[in-house]
Amino acid sequence: MRVNKLFKYDGLQQPDTIAAYIEAVRDGFASGEITLTQGDDVLTLSPKGLVAVTVEGKLKGEDRKLKLTFRWKERAQECNAPLLITARDDGDA
């Protein structure tokens, strides 16, 4: 097994196979871990916090394109400390 920082796959698949991939991505977001594997190549992503989503569709001649992009920052620990804002009390002068 080779753990990578970049994983890329290009290939042709049937729509039902693609639907299963999309379901696996959905399940991975729900569980907090998405693992991509092809042969010895493995990349595991752990989405946490807010995720930026881009959906792009394109028609060009006979070609059709649908692109889904998800981006997030992986942090070792979420900042859960509450924000506190206070005003100076006139009695503090």
Side-chain angles (χ1 to χ4, degrees):
M1 177 172 73
R2 188 173 62 209
V3 178
N4 295 328
K5 290 186 177 185
L6 172 66
F7 184 97
K8 184 172 182 176
Y9 170 81
D10 284 313
L12 298 173
Q13 298 290 338
Q14 292 292 331
D16 60 336
T17 302
I18 294 168
Y21 291 158
I22 292 170
E23 287 178 19
V25 170
R26 179 201 64 200
D27 293 346
F29 273 108
S31 70
E33 187 171 283
I34 301 167
T35 300
L36 308 171
T37 306
Q38 184 182 26
D40 290 338
D41 293 335
V42 177
L43 176 65
T44 298
L45 303 169
S46 301
K48 294 178 184 147
L50 295 175
V51 176
V53 178
T54 303
V55 178
E56 191 177 325
K58 185 176 181 180
L59 304 174
K60 185 176 181 182
E62 293 181 1
D63 291 336
R64 305 297 185 254
K65 181 177 183 178
L66 174 62
K67 183 177 176 181
L68 306 173
T69 304
F70 306 97
R71 290 181 314 278
W72 65 90
K73 303 265 188 208
E74 288 200 11
R75 294 177 176 87
Q77 189 175 24
E78 295 279 328
C79 178
N80 292 325
L83 173 65
L84 177 63
I85 300 175
T86 59
R88 184 175 143 208
D89 188 354
D90 286 339
D92 289 345

